[in-house]
Amino acid sequence: MEVTIHVKRGTQGRQYYQSYRLEVENPNVTVLDLLFKIRGIDGSLSFRYACRMGVCGACAMVINGVPRLACAIKLSDLGTKEIFIEPLKGKNIIKDLVTDT
Amino acid sequence: MEVLKYDVVVVGSGLAGLRAAAAAAAAGAEVAVLTKVSGPRSHSISAEGGMAAVVDPAKTGDSPELHAYDTVKGGDYLVDQEVAVQFAYEAPREVKFLESIGVPWNRDPDGSYSLRLFGGMSKPRTLFVKDKTGFYIMTALYKYVKGLPNVHLYEEHFVTRIVVRNGVFLGFVAYDMRRGELKGFAAKAGVLAAGGGGRMFRTTTMGYLNTGEVYGYALRAGAALRDMEFVQFHPTALVPSGILISEAARAEGGYLVNRLGERFMKRYAPERMELAPRDVVSRAIYMECAQGRGFTHESGLCYVGLDVRHIDEKRLKERLPQLLELSKTYAGVDPTRDLIPVRPAAHYFMGGVYTDAQGRVLTADGRWIRGLWAAGEVASVGLHGANRLGSNSLSECAVWGRLTGEAAADYAKSTPSTPSGMLTEEVKREEERVHGLLKRERGGETPSSIARELQNIMDEAAGVVRHGSELSKALGRLSALQKRLADIRISDGGLVYNMELREVLELDGAVLAAQTILTGALLRQESRGSHYRLDYPQREDKSWLRHTLYYIYGGSLLVAKREVNITRWMPEVRRY
């Protein structure tokens, strides 16, 4: 199935959405997996991650309007083929999805 | 360009690194911690099962000597025995330290520490907090270290070079990802505590940042690596992600079954069954799969079932809550009703930066690189031999974190300040190198395709079982990969939070480290601990009861053998 991912990118005050279309075979992929797929196409996209098992909290971001861990939320949990990803709100943006801590 | 000056600089902010920083700070040093991660997110946070220490000998009839003996036997006699003894005596003190800063160890109804029996241990001696031990330790330790006025945490500062001149440590160069610039850290003393390199393999329990470049950087700085061929595969990683299901599941009574519903460990370790050491259990799973008795996952991977259905549900929720969560989220199964699909995955590097028993970093001929220490998984202090016993790593990180931190602070006190001019030169050189990398927009491959190839090579040749001809082929592929790495493409031209740049720098060290693993695995013509050669299935004490050392001389990787410190227990047949 094809999914479209709209990622809010850029640095503080100079942000824009970039959209990526991905072909996904298994709906059990996590949003973090999808972001890695995007990095295969566009290596300039930046985001944080570490444990990839829902423990450390590094990959917190706003996914379809709700702050969640990208590694702990699956495509099938979202129930949509259109995903909006933004950095956490109320923080200075360093680059793309990476904010000040 | 900035060059900062400290007494002690620690690389890595996991348990070993933060423990070292805390100990150095307590001894009065000005300390910097350089870490590629942000916040308390080093891989120690994912530790699950627990921490081994003989805290209550009367309760279980345990002793530090027995802990040391189990460690020596578990490591297939490649353990430096006096190191194991020192470890067993020091570990209980670290349990108390962690408790004093807020780690809420599980306790039994009588108030004593709860203890689990882990694989290869003779007595229950593993302390734990549910199956989230690392999470509780890192949360407490990070908060504690943040509160120390003389420790400065430099997060998302990726070390690109260890600066050593004439056998003396001078400092580090690091890429500050948030500000997009290189910085020098001049220091009298340094502690390497950068963790393992599981991401050289495709199937690993380790987090995404455990890429292993510091092994390569240490080699380039003149240090030796030791015993790199010994990579531990954890028997129970979720299929297909490799996410760890703690050994605590088996310690609490879980067992392994094949496709025929058979508890197959009876064939491989009739006495200890699922609580045999990890190398034994991993090989057993491999054999079941090789002989067609495994399940097949939709991804094509073979696996076996971990069965915890017979364990009381209340106990599961109390003692293994993470197992329940991880199985549901990442495998879509409910362990109270279903088997958990598991297979072995790369989990721990027994080898590492060659050190003496105090954690001082050595060259191949045994000279100390003055001012430099290593602790935790990145180090090879001689504790784990050919196979680490589960729950010994948290104690190792804490014990040698403290010992190296204290020693580094003492050394800094008695050493005159080094001039930072050398560091300025080194930072300039690194800036040129990095800016050169950023101009490679038209090169061949992306960092992720190189990383994938590295993982394929390592999975195919350096897994649970190995063969000489596969290893030779793999070394050829790896040397071709090294050339491709020199012609890599970086599409992101910016310096701020450039992940491709970090990946290239990671690969630059990791490929060299991978070369030591493959070389060691090819040369070691025997089977010992985690290293199993199909073409040499026996342990050969006569020629191979030896450590392997790797070092760079004249631009080439060379290998040497070194005696094992055997003082108390003579090698015996390892049966479980």
Side-chain angles (χ1 to χ4, degrees):
Chain A
M1 96 191 88
E2 194 181 81
V3 293
T4 309
I5 302 174
H6 309 280
V7 187
K8 197 169 189 181
R9 298 197 55 181
T11 53
Q12 190 73 33
R14 280 182 301 178
Q15 289 179 281
Y16 57 95
Y17 276 98
Q18 188 159 355
S19 302
Y20 301 91
R21 280 199 189 146
L22 295 178
E23 190 54 40
V24 179
E25 282 160 28
N26 188 331
N28 288 325
V29 297
T30 64
V31 172
L32 187 62
D33 295 330
L34 295 175
L35 286 170
F36 273 107
K37 265 186 173 242
I38 294 176
R39 277 191 55 74
I41 312 165
D42 179 353
S44 70
L45 176 67
S46 295
F47 50 94
R48 279 199 184 101
Y49 50 79
C51 79
R52 62 81 168 84
M53 54 191 275
V55 176
C56 79
C59 62
M61 53 187 74
V62 175
I63 299 168
N64 284 356
V66 184
R68 351 187 192 209
L69 297 182
C71 73
I73 194 97
K74 286 174 286 191
L75 181 58
S76 54
D77 301 328
L78 293 170
T80 165
K81 289 176 188 170
E82 200 142 358
I83 306 174
F84 291 82
I85 301 180
E86 302 157 73
L88 289 176
K89 296 196 195 309
K91 296 188 178 241
N92 281 328
I93 289 158
I94 295 170
K95 183 182 170 223
D96 299 342
L97 301 169
V98 179
T99 62
D100 267 347
T101 49
Chain B
M1 177 182 61
E2 213 177 345
V3 174
L4 298 140
K5 285 177 94 166
Y6 283 93
D7 295 325
V8 177
V9 178
V10 179
V11 179
S13 61
L15 173 52
L18 293 184
R19 186 69 189 93
E30 281 296 317
V31 184
V33 177
L34 311 183
T35 169
K36 69 200 267 198
V37 308
S38 149
R41 299 197 171 99
S42 300
H43 191 54
S44 300
I45 202 171
S46 304
E48 297 178 17
M51 170 165 170
V54 179
V55 283
D56 202 349
K59 183 177 174 180
T60 53
D62 205 355
S63 71
E65 287 80 8
L66 190 55
H67 188 183
Y69 168 75
D70 286 345
T71 302
V72 168
K73 183 182 173 193
D76 221 346
Y77 294 90
L78 206 68
V79 173
D80 286 341
Q81 299 189 354
E82 293 309 305
V83 169
V85 172
Q86 179 193 4
F87 163 72
Y89 277 95
E90 296 275 2
R93 186 172 154 190
E94 290 306 307
V95 168
K96 307 277 179 188
F97 167 76
L98 291 172
E99 180 160 8
S100 77
I101 60 167
V103 174
W105 299 114
N106 267 39
R107 286 180 182 271
D108 285 348
D110 66 359
S112 63
Y113 296 114
S114 300
L115 299 170
R116 273 175 182 146
L117 180 65
F118 256 58
M121 300 280 192
S122 305
K123 304 283 180 190
R125 66 169 73 98
T126 299
L127 295 104
F128 57 93
V129 191
K130 300 173 189 168
D131 56 355
K132 301 186 179 185
T133 312
F135 178 83
Y136 285 98
I137 288 177
M138 283 302 291
T139 306
L141 188 56
Y142 184 78
K143 195 171 165 215
Y144 175 76
V145 169
K146 276 283 233 193
L148 297 173
N150 48 342
V151 179
H152 303 265
L153 284 177
Y154 290 87
E155 296 184 349
E156 301 190 307
H157 277 60
F158 178 92
V159 168
T160 70
R161 194 166 291 273
I162 304 167
V163 185
V164 172
R165 285 283 162 81
N166 303 322
V168 180
F169 166 77
L170 297 176
F172 298 105
V173 182
Y175 162 43
D176 174 350
M177 295 191 63
R178 296 177 191 174
R179 279 168 59 182
E181 61 187 32
L182 288 158
K183 287 181 189 162
F185 288 84
K188 297 182 204 172
V191 180
L192 303 176
R199 288 282 152 189
M200 290 175 214
F201 292 80
R202 193 175 45 211
T203 314
T204 177
T205 63
M206 289 194 222
Y208 276 123
L209 296 169
N210 296 94
T211 39
E213 63 279 358
V214 169
Y215 296 114
Y217 295 170
L219 269 182
R220 285 204 188 112
L225 304 184
R226 175 167 64 177
D227 296 342
M228 291 296 284
E229 62 271 33
F230 297 104
V231 178
Q232 177 163 80
F233 283 76
H234 194 292
T236 63
L238 275 184
V239 182
S241 61
I243 286 169
L244 177 69
I245 295 296
S246 172
E247 187 168 321
R250 284 170 284 141
E252 297 289 342
Y255 45 72
L256 295 166
V257 295
N258 63 19
R259 186 166 55 84
L260 310 170
E262 210 185 352
R263 238 183 116 177
F264 57 83
M265 280 310 297
K266 65 180 183 231
R267 270 198 286 283
Y268 307 93
E271 284 171 40
R272 303 301 299 273
M273 297 292 282
E274 284 81 2
L275 288 176
R278 290 170 174 178
D279 57 329
V280 177
V281 183
S282 289
R283 267 195 305 280
I285 296 173
Y286 173 87
M287 287 306 292
E288 290 300 301
C289 279
Q291 294 173 3
R293 291 190 294 271
F295 300 91
T296 307
H297 187 257
E298 59 181 23
S299 59
L301 295 170
C302 177
Y303 68 92
V304 297
L306 172 63
D307 196 345
V308 298
R309 293 175 294 190
H310 52 284
I311 302 172
D312 179 57
E313 203 173 322
K314 189 165 155 264
R315 193 176 168 88
L316 278 181
K317 280 184 184 148
E318 260 169 36
R319 296 234 178 180
L320 301 168
Q322 188 158 248
L323 172 145
L324 296 174
E325 291 166 25
L326 295 174
S327 304
K328 185 168 178 291
T329 310
Y330 297 102
V333 301
D334 174 0
T336 62
R337 284 189 307 199
D338 311 310
L339 291 176
I340 307 168
V342 294
R343 72 195 304 262
H347 181 65
Y348 189 89
F349 283 38
M350 266 73 72
V353 177
Y354 178 34
T355 76
D356 62 13
Q358 289 88 48
R360 301 191 299 184
V361 173
L362 305 177
T363 63
D365 50 11
R367 272 176 309 147
W368 180 35
I369 295 181
R370 289 186 67 79
L372 191 60
W373 283 261
E377 188 172 352
V378 82
S380 166
V381 69
L383 178 65
H384 303 303
N387 170 63
R388 173 178 70 86
L389 292 184
S391 73
N392 263 356
S393 63
L394 289 181
S395 348
E396 175 201 18
C397 287
V399 166
W400 273 280
R402 170 169 55 81
L403 293 176
T404 57
E406 284 170 356
D410 279 353
Y411 175 84
K413 240 180 260 169
S414 60
T415 305
S417 186
T418 45
S420 48
M422 287 287 207
L423 255 295
T424 311
E425 267 173 48
E426 203 65 42
V427 177
K428 273 190 198 142
R429 204 167 299 149
E430 284 294 274
E431 273 177 343
E432 277 169 32
R433 181 167 79 109
V434 165
H435 291 157
L437 287 170
L438 291 181
K439 287 189 194 117
R440 299 178 165 277
E441 286 173 54
R442 266 178 280 166
E445 288 165 272
T446 62
S448 58
S449 72
I450 300 270
R452 212 164 30 240
E453 169 72 358
L454 173 64
Q455 292 174 341
N456 288 340
I457 292 172
M458 298 306 279
D459 267 28
E460 285 162 32
V464 176
V465 304
R466 298 153 175 197
H467 193 286
S469 63
E470 294 295 318
L471 287 160
S472 310
K473 258 189 270 167
L475 274 163
R477 284 168 74 189
L478 193 73
S479 98
L481 193 69
Q482 254 154 341
K483 295 196 185 81
R484 283 154 62 185
L485 182 59
D487 184 39
I488 205 159
R489 178 175 79 232
I490 295 186
S491 58
D492 190 345
L495 264 166
V496 173
Y497 221 94
N498 187 325
M499 289 173 62
E500 286 182 312
L501 178 59
R502 189 182 74 195
E503 285 161 358
V504 172
L505 295 167
E506 284 171 348
L507 282 166
D508 180 43
V511 168
L512 186 51
Q515 196 186 342
T516 66
I517 297 173
L518 294 175
T519 305
L522 177 63
L523 291 182
R524 185 174 284 275
Q525 295 182 336
E526 66 155 353
S527 291
R528 180 186 299 274
S530 70
H531 172 69
Y532 190 88
R533 282 280 297 263
L534 288 167
D535 44 348
Y536 295 94
Q538 300 301 321
R539 190 174 86 189
E540 290 293 348
D541 285 345
K542 201 160 160 258
S543 41
W544 283 109
L545 185 56
R546 305 278 188 282
H547 293 297
T548 325
L549 279 190
Y550 314 87
Y551 58 102
I552 290 179
Y553 186 80
S556 309
L557 182 71
L558 300 184
V559 187
K561 285 186 190 178
R562 283 292 178 279
E563 293 298 312
V564 181
N565 169 278
I566 295 171
T567 49
R568 299 177 189 233
W569 299 288
M570 289 311 286
E572 49 187 275
V573 178
R574 193 160 158 261
R575 265 198 207 100
Y576 287 97

mmCIF file of all heavy atoms in Angstrom, chain B residues 92-115:
data_model
loop_
_atom_site.group_PDB
_atom_site.id
_atom_site.type_symbol
_atom_site.label_atom_id
_atom_site.label_comp_id
_atom_site.label_asym_id
_atom_site.label_seq_id
_atom_site.Cartn_x
_atom_site.Cartn_y
_atom_site.Cartn_z
ATOM 1 N N PRO B 92 29.250 -5.548 45.087
ATOM 2 C CA PRO B 92 28.210 -5.212 46.079
ATOM 3 C C PRO B 92 28.208 -3.737 46.474
ATOM 4 O O PRO B 92 27.153 -3.144 46.703
ATOM 5 C CB PRO B 92 28.583 -6.104 47.279
ATOM 6 C CG PRO B 92 29.352 -7.235 46.694
ATOM 7 C CD PRO B 92 30.112 -6.659 45.548
ATOM 8 N N ARG B 93 29.410 -3.140 46.542
ATOM 9 C CA ARG B 93 29.515 -1.725 46.894
ATOM 10 C C ARG B 93 28.752 -0.851 45.886
ATOM 11 O O ARG B 93 28.172 0.173 46.249
ATOM 12 C CB ARG B 93 31.008 -1.365 46.902
ATOM 13 C CG ARG B 93 31.278 0.028 47.380
ATOM 14 C CD ARG B 93 32.776 0.232 47.535
ATOM 15 N NE ARG B 93 33.097 1.643 47.386
ATOM 16 C CZ ARG B 93 34.321 2.119 47.276
ATOM 17 N NH1 ARG B 93 35.351 1.293 47.293
ATOM 18 N NH2 ARG B 93 34.526 3.411 47.130
ATOM 19 N N GLU B 94 28.776 -1.262 44.618
ATOM 20 C CA GLU B 94 28.086 -0.472 43.588
ATOM 21 C C GLU B 94 26.564 -0.597 43.696
ATOM 22 O O GLU B 94 25.829 0.333 43.376
ATOM 23 C CB GLU B 94 28.571 -0.886 42.198
ATOM 24 C CG GLU B 94 30.002 -0.464 41.919
ATOM 25 C CD GLU B 94 30.219 1.024 42.148
ATOM 26 O OE1 GLU B 94 29.465 1.846 41.587
ATOM 27 O OE2 GLU B 94 31.141 1.381 42.913
ATOM 28 N N VAL B 95 26.108 -1.767 44.149
ATOM 29 C CA VAL B 95 24.671 -1.932 44.388
ATOM 30 C C VAL B 95 24.211 -0.910 45.430
ATOM 31 O O VAL B 95 23.185 -0.233 45.277
ATOM 32 C CB VAL B 95 24.372 -3.368 44.882
ATOM 33 C CG1 VAL B 95 22.943 -3.477 45.414
ATOM 34 C CG2 VAL B 95 24.600 -4.368 43.755
ATOM 35 N N LYS B 96 25.019 -0.781 46.487
ATOM 36 C CA LYS B 96 24.672 0.166 47.563
ATOM 37 C C LYS B 96 24.739 1.602 47.055
ATOM 38 O O LYS B 96 23.899 2.438 47.403
ATOM 39 C CB LYS B 96 25.639 0.010 48.750
ATOM 40 C CG LYS B 96 25.768 -1.390 49.263
ATOM 41 C CD LYS B 96 24.647 -1.740 50.235
ATOM 42 C CE LYS B 96 24.833 -3.184 50.684
ATOM 43 N NZ LYS B 96 23.792 -3.748 51.455
ATOM 44 N N PHE B 97 25.755 1.902 46.258
ATOM 45 C CA PHE B 97 25.849 3.267 45.728
ATOM 46 C C PHE B 97 24.598 3.611 44.914
ATOM 47 O O PHE B 97 23.992 4.664 45.090
ATOM 48 C CB PHE B 97 27.101 3.439 44.851
ATOM 49 C CG PHE B 97 27.070 4.715 44.040
ATOM 50 C CD1 PHE B 97 27.334 5.937 44.642
ATOM 51 C CD2 PHE B 97 26.720 4.696 42.683
ATOM 52 C CE1 PHE B 97 27.261 7.120 43.911
ATOM 53 C CE2 PHE B 97 26.650 5.873 41.946
ATOM 54 C CZ PHE B 97 26.916 7.092 42.562
ATOM 55 N N LEU B 98 24.209 2.691 44.030
ATOM 56 C CA LEU B 98 23.037 2.966 43.184
ATOM 57 C C LEU B 98 21.789 3.108 44.045
ATOM 58 O O LEU B 98 20.932 3.953 43.787
ATOM 59 C CB LEU B 98 22.874 1.865 42.127
ATOM 60 C CG LEU B 98 23.963 1.865 41.045
ATOM 61 C CD1 LEU B 98 23.857 0.635 40.157
ATOM 62 C CD2 LEU B 98 23.882 3.136 40.185
ATOM 63 N N GLU B 99 21.695 2.300 45.075
ATOM 64 C CA GLU B 99 20.558 2.418 45.977
ATOM 65 C C GLU B 99 20.553 3.798 46.652
ATOM 66 O O GLU B 99 19.505 4.436 46.786
ATOM 67 C CB GLU B 99 20.616 1.316 47.033
ATOM 68 C CG GLU B 99 19.449 1.384 47.991
ATOM 69 C CD GLU B 99 19.215 0.064 48.718
ATOM 70 O OE1 GLU B 99 20.044 -0.855 48.596
ATOM 71 O OE2 GLU B 99 18.199 -0.030 49.394
ATOM 72 N N SER B 100 21.749 4.282 47.009
ATOM 73 C CA SER B 100 21.839 5.562 47.716
ATOM 74 C C SER B 100 21.399 6.739 46.844
ATOM 75 O O SER B 100 21.019 7.786 47.351
ATOM 76 C CB SER B 100 23.262 5.789 48.229
ATOM 77 O OG SER B 100 24.109 6.190 47.154
ATOM 78 N N ILE B 101 21.466 6.578 45.522
ATOM 79 C CA ILE B 101 21.017 7.681 44.659
ATOM 80 C C ILE B 101 19.601 7.428 44.124
ATOM 81 O O ILE B 101 19.112 8.176 43.284
ATOM 82 C CB ILE B 101 21.988 7.940 43.483
ATOM 83 C CG1 ILE B 101 22.124 6.713 42.583
ATOM 84 C CG2 ILE B 101 23.355 8.387 44.017
ATOM 85 C CD1 ILE B 101 22.802 6.997 41.268
ATOM 86 N N GLY B 102 18.952 6.365 44.587
ATOM 87 C CA GLY B 102 17.529 6.232 44.290
ATOM 88 C C GLY B 102 17.082 5.054 43.448
ATOM 89 O O GLY B 102 15.948 5.035 42.972
ATOM 90 N N VAL B 103 17.947 4.049 43.254
ATOM 91 C CA VAL B 103 17.499 2.876 42.483
ATOM 92 C C VAL B 103 16.685 1.957 43.426
ATOM 93 O O VAL B 103 17.211 1.485 44.428
ATOM 94 C CB VAL B 103 18.695 2.118 41.876
ATOM 95 C CG1 VAL B 103 18.241 0.829 41.214
ATOM 96 C CG2 VAL B 103 19.427 3.004 40.881
ATOM 97 N N PRO B 104 15.408 1.740 43.102
ATOM 98 C CA PRO B 104 14.527 0.993 44.013
ATOM 99 C C PRO B 104 14.574 -0.515 43.770
ATOM 100 O O PRO B 104 13.639 -1.101 43.237
ATOM 101 C CB PRO B 104 13.145 1.546 43.662
ATOM 102 C CG PRO B 104 13.246 1.868 42.188
ATOM 103 C CD PRO B 104 14.685 2.226 41.915
ATOM 104 N N TRP B 105 15.675 -1.151 44.180
ATOM 105 C CA TRP B 105 15.818 -2.606 43.959
ATOM 106 C C TRP B 105 14.575 -3.350 44.461
ATOM 107 O O TRP B 105 14.079 -3.060 45.549
ATOM 108 C CB TRP B 105 17.049 -3.151 44.695
ATOM 109 C CG TRP B 105 18.354 -2.553 44.257
ATOM 110 C CD1 TRP B 105 19.191 -1.765 44.998
ATOM 111 C CD2 TRP B 105 18.995 -2.694 42.976
ATOM 112 N NE1 TRP B 105 20.300 -1.403 44.262
ATOM 113 C CE2 TRP B 105 20.209 -1.964 43.014
ATOM 114 C CE3 TRP B 105 18.665 -3.367 41.793
ATOM 115 C CZ2 TRP B 105 21.080 -1.882 41.938
ATOM 116 C CZ3 TRP B 105 19.533 -3.294 40.716
ATOM 117 C CH2 TRP B 105 20.725 -2.559 40.795
ATOM 118 N N ASN B 106 14.121 -4.321 43.703
ATOM 119 C CA ASN B 106 13.012 -5.169 44.173
ATOM 120 C C ASN B 106 13.404 -5.885 45.458
ATOM 121 O O ASN B 106 14.553 -6.303 45.599
ATOM 122 C CB ASN B 106 12.688 -6.249 43.116
ATOM 123 C CG ASN B 106 11.607 -5.807 42.154
ATOM 124 O OD1 ASN B 106 11.568 -4.642 41.745
ATOM 125 N ND2 ASN B 106 10.737 -6.734 41.785
ATOM 126 N N ARG B 107 12.419 -6.012 46.367
ATOM 127 C CA ARG B 107 12.717 -6.692 47.633
ATOM 128 C C ARG B 107 11.699 -7.792 47.898
ATOM 129 O O ARG B 107 10.561 -7.712 47.456
ATOM 130 C CB ARG B 107 12.702 -5.687 48.780
ATOM 131 C CG ARG B 107 13.926 -4.802 48.763
ATOM 132 C CD ARG B 107 13.921 -3.809 49.894
ATOM 133 N NE ARG B 107 15.090 -2.950 49.821
ATOM 134 C CZ ARG B 107 16.258 -3.238 50.392
ATOM 135 N NH1 ARG B 107 16.415 -4.355 51.075
ATOM 136 N NH2 ARG B 107 17.280 -2.403 50.290
ATOM 137 N N ASP B 108 12.144 -8.801 48.638
ATOM 138 C CA ASP B 108 11.256 -9.882 49.048
ATOM 139 C C ASP B 108 10.445 -9.441 50.269
ATOM 140 O O ASP B 108 10.781 -8.438 50.899
ATOM 141 C CB ASP B 108 12.084 -11.136 49.361
ATOM 142 C CG ASP B 108 12.582 -11.797 48.082
ATOM 143 O OD1 ASP B 108 12.088 -11.401 47.004
ATOM 144 O OD2 ASP B 108 13.453 -12.666 48.151
ATOM 145 N N PRO B 109 9.402 -10.210 50.609
ATOM 146 C CA PRO B 109 8.559 -9.819 51.747
ATOM 147 C C PRO B 109 9.332 -9.624 53.055
ATOM 148 O O PRO B 109 8.944 -8.818 53.898
ATOM 149 C CB PRO B 109 7.570 -10.985 51.869
ATOM 150 C CG PRO B 109 7.492 -11.557 50.497
ATOM 151 C CD PRO B 109 8.847 -11.363 49.895
ATOM 152 N N ASP B 110 10.467 -10.335 53.232
ATOM 153 C CA ASP B 110 11.236 -10.161 54.477
ATOM 154 C C ASP B 110 12.147 -8.933 54.432
ATOM 155 O O ASP B 110 12.928 -8.699 55.362
ATOM 156 C CB ASP B 110 12.046 -11.419 54.783
ATOM 157 C CG ASP B 110 13.136 -11.684 53.738
ATOM 158 O OD1 ASP B 110 13.243 -10.909 52.765
ATOM 159 O OD2 ASP B 110 13.905 -12.653 53.905
ATOM 160 N N GLY B 111 12.080 -8.160 53.341
ATOM 161 C CA GLY B 111 12.870 -6.931 53.260
ATOM 162 C C GLY B 111 14.220 -7.098 52.604
ATOM 163 O O GLY B 111 14.886 -6.114 52.272
ATOM 164 N N SER B 112 14.663 -8.346 52.379
ATOM 165 C CA SER B 112 15.965 -8.536 51.727
ATOM 166 C C SER B 112 15.817 -8.314 50.211
ATOM 167 O O SER B 112 14.717 -8.323 49.676
ATOM 168 C CB SER B 112 16.482 -9.949 52.005
ATOM 169 O OG SER B 112 15.602 -10.893 51.451
ATOM 170 N N TYR B 113 16.963 -8.112 49.560
ATOM 171 C CA TYR B 113 16.922 -7.905 48.102
ATOM 172 C C TYR B 113 16.354 -9.137 47.404
ATOM 173 O O TYR B 113 16.742 -10.259 47.732
ATOM 174 C CB TYR B 113 18.332 -7.674 47.551
ATOM 175 C CG TYR B 113 19.020 -6.433 48.054
ATOM 176 C CD1 TYR B 113 20.153 -6.515 48.853
ATOM 177 C CD2 TYR B 113 18.538 -5.174 47.710
ATOM 178 C CE1 TYR B 113 20.797 -5.364 49.301
ATOM 179 C CE2 TYR B 113 19.183 -4.028 48.154
ATOM 180 C CZ TYR B 113 20.303 -4.127 48.950
ATOM 181 O OH TYR B 113 20.929 -3.000 49.384
ATOM 182 N N SER B 114 15.485 -8.941 46.427
ATOM 183 C CA SER B 114 15.054 -10.060 45.584
ATOM 184 C C SER B 114 16.210 -10.435 44.674
ATOM 185 O O SER B 114 16.915 -9.568 44.163
ATOM 186 C CB SER B 114 13.861 -9.656 44.716
ATOM 187 O OG SER B 114 12.785 -9.260 45.518
ATOM 188 N N LEU B 115 16.392 -11.718 44.460
ATOM 189 C CA LEU B 115 17.502 -12.190 43.614
ATOM 190 C C LEU B 115 16.980 -13.177 42.585
ATOM 191 O O LEU B 115 16.152 -14.027 42.901
ATOM 192 C CB LEU B 115 18.565 -12.873 44.473
ATOM 193 C CG LEU B 115 19.227 -12.007 45.554
ATOM 194 C CD1 LEU B 115 20.071 -12.868 46.482
ATOM 195 C CD2 LEU B 115 20.061 -10.906 44.933
#
